[in-house]
Amino acid sequence: MTAIEDFLTDCDLRMHKSIDATRTEFNTVRTGRASAALLDRITIDYYGTPTPLNNMATISTPEARLLSIQPYDPSQIKTIEKAIQESDLGLTPNNDGKVIRLPIPALTEERRKELVKVVRRYAEDGKVAVRNVRRDVMKHLEDLVRNGDVGDDEERRAETQVQKLTDENVKTIEDMLKHKEAEIMEV
């Protein structure tokens, strides 16, 4: 495998990681439906150790607009409730001593527009990450030519492939954005 092929493989891998990171960010944005992924960012102080909520409880969606959280350690219900209230989700938990129920209210038009802006920012960050990978790989290709490891023709071919990968991945992020926007704006 040549140095150029190594760079192209690395480029493809890093761009896909950027897409995966963007997809993960999208999943944390609330839509009208309940999703366990909403709670992925919430961490609980469990005896002095910050622990992700999904490691401390079973999270399920018994209804389209309801999340159910059943802690493995029932003594942590109050701590989990407090962490949810202090988060930026804007949700109010209810508990019966064993299970925390988290009703997901319908989004207002104004809140939907705010969420679309958030999602667009995540998409832009993802596109910037993909372009940064392209920039890094192009710089490495130029270094290979400067060091005499590869010729100009090989570099140009590789740059064309890198640009093609960049365009494909940016389009993937734009498609994900359109889908997420439609999901958020759906009443």
Side-chain angles (χ1 to χ4, degrees):
M1 209 160 149
T2 67
I4 286 182
E5 288 170 339
D6 285 344
F7 281 126
L8 290 174
T9 304
D10 179 55
C11 173
D12 192 37
L13 193 73
R14 287 171 57 199
M15 285 183 180
H16 280 292
K17 283 182 182 174
S18 297
I19 286 177
D20 290 342
T22 303
R23 186 173 288 120
T24 302
E25 289 290 335
F26 280 4
N27 287 339
T28 64
V29 174
R30 192 174 89 131
T31 60
R33 283 185 231 101
S35 164
L38 283 176
L39 303 174
D40 283 353
R41 289 184 293 175
I42 295 183
T43 56
I44 286 52
D45 183 26
Y46 188 61
Y47 298 110
T49 307
T51 309
L53 175 59
N54 53 9
N55 290 355
M56 292 182 59
T58 303
I59 302 169
S60 60
T61 53
E63 297 171 24
R65 292 191 181 271
L66 181 71
L67 283 174
S68 172
I69 304 161
Q70 184 158 19
Y72 302 131
D73 179 358
S75 68
Q76 292 298 308
I77 279 194
K78 290 286 182 206
T79 315
I80 292 171
E81 233 180 356
K82 186 176 176 208
I84 292 169
Q85 285 173 332
E86 291 173 353
S87 73
D88 61 352
L89 293 175
L91 300 174
T92 308
N94 305 319
N95 87 62
D96 63 7
K98 293 186 175 98
V99 177
I100 298 172
R101 286 179 183 72
L102 205 55
I104 310 291
L107 295 171
T108 63
E109 188 68 25
E110 183 180 319
R111 183 71 178 134
R112 287 177 199 281
K113 288 177 181 170
E114 286 173 23
L115 290 174
V116 166
K117 286 179 187 170
V118 169
V119 169
R120 284 183 180 155
R121 189 176 68 240
Y122 288 155
E124 192 54 42
D125 291 347
K127 289 190 254 182
V128 166
V130 167
R131 290 183 196 118
N132 285 342
V133 171
R134 177 188 63 190
R135 186 193 64 221
D136 292 348
V137 171
M138 295 292 205
K139 182 181 177 302
H140 289 301
L141 290 172
E142 289 170 11
D143 291 345
L144 285 176
V145 171
R146 204 173 306 118
N147 296 339
D149 296 336
V150 295
D152 286 341
D153 290 346
E154 289 174 297
E155 181 205 17
R156 267 189 229 99
R157 267 195 297 279
E159 283 179 353
T160 303
Q161 285 179 290
V162 170
Q163 186 59 49
K164 185 177 172 218
L165 279 172
T166 303
D167 294 342
E168 287 171 6
N169 287 305
V170 165
K171 183 176 180 345
T172 301
I173 290 174
E174 286 172 354
D175 291 345
M176 287 174 13
L177 172 64
K178 282 180 192 158
H179 177 75
K180 189 66 177 184
E181 280 182 353
E183 195 177 297
I184 289 171
M185 294 309 286
E186 180 183 307
V187 178

